[in-house]
Structures are given as C-alpha cells and as structure tokens.
Amino acid sequence: MPLTFTCERSERNYIETYELQVTPASKGQKAKVFLDGRDLDRADEVGQQSVQNVLITESTVLISIKASFLPEVFDGMQYGAGSVVTAIHLNRQTGQLRKVETITGGILSATLGGGTRTYQEQCTVMK
C-alpha cells in the first residue's frame, strides 16, 4: 500500500506544494517513488536517475536517489558530466522532511555550485 504525502517546499519568496508517493517493494518489484505522479526512476538522452534504496518503518521513510548527467553544451558553454546524490529522511509523525543533496560536476555544479546542501520541508500524510 503506497504512502502519500503532500509536502511544501519554500525558498525565499517561492513556495511549492507537491505530492510525494512511496510504494514499498514487493516480491517482484523494487520500491518506487513518485513526485507529482512522475516516477523518479527514469532515463533519457541527457542522463539517468534511479531510486537506490527505500526503507519504511513505523516512524520514518528513508529514500536515497542517484542521478547522473552526460556532458552537454548549453548557450555555447561546454559542461562536463555531473551527478547528484540525494538522501531523504521523512519523519512520519511530525511530517518533517530533511533532504541532503550532493552535487558533483556538470551544469548543476556550474550554476548552483557543487557540494552538499541540506533542505527542510514540511509534509502531511494524505488519507
């Protein structure tokens, strides 16, 4: 049975509400994570993203995601390959979500800066 949360992310004057759905692993399928209905396991011509691990306990949901991007040219600038590793910790009782992202290389490192960032968000369980 999937767990579904409505979460709110805010940064400066920007507030975004999104739906996070986590489906536990079954015998034939690995755990799945969806953000606003989009499967976070995906690949296309610019890279791939995969949910590495999901752990669901009575009090916590832990999710780890790895994304890698191929080298690209944007606005005449050449960017190398890059990656983002994300660890999500969601407290099921309080709804507090803590996300830690580590950006290495690529266009994201050039535009957002490389390194590790921590974000706090608030979620509520949807019935």
Side-chain angles (χ1 to χ4, degrees):
M1 170 159 212
L3 297 172
T4 305
F5 303 89
T6 299
C7 300
E8 187 173 275
R9 161 184 23 227
S10 61
E11 193 171 329
R12 297 187 188 131
N13 294 334
Y14 177 74
I15 297 175
E16 177 186 14
T17 301
Y18 64 93
E19 181 181 291
L20 175 68
Q21 185 179 68
V22 182
T23 303
S26 63
K27 288 183 182 181
Q29 184 173 338
K30 72 178 219 166
K32 301 295 281 180
V33 179
F34 298 88
L35 186 67
D36 283 341
R38 294 183 318 269
D39 188 344
L40 294 187
D41 279 315
R42 59 184 184 203
D44 59 25
E45 62 279 353
V46 296
Q48 66 180 15
Q49 175 174 283
S50 64
V51 175
Q52 301 291 297
N53 196 15
V54 174
L55 175 64
I56 300 171
T57 69
E58 192 173 305
S59 62
T60 307
V61 176
L62 300 174
I63 304 167
S64 63
I65 302 167
K66 181 171 184 185
S68 56
F69 306 96
L70 299 172
E72 62 184 300
V73 176
F74 184 75
D75 278 347
M77 294 287 297
Q78 175 72 41
Y79 299 95
S83 67
V84 179
V85 175
T86 305
I88 298 170
H89 175 270
L90 175 58
N91 182 312
R92 293 176 66 180
Q93 276 71 44
T94 65
Q96 183 179 22
L97 182 145
R98 185 169 160 238
K99 179 169 51 174
V100 179
E101 289 184 335
T102 301
I103 299 172
T104 307
I107 192 170
L108 290 177
S109 183
T111 56
L112 299 175
T116 301
R117 291 176 180 67
T118 301
Y119 302 93
Q120 300 277 349
E121 300 174 12
Q122 190 60 43
C123 300
T124 54
V125 176
M126 292 177 60
K127 300 291 181 196

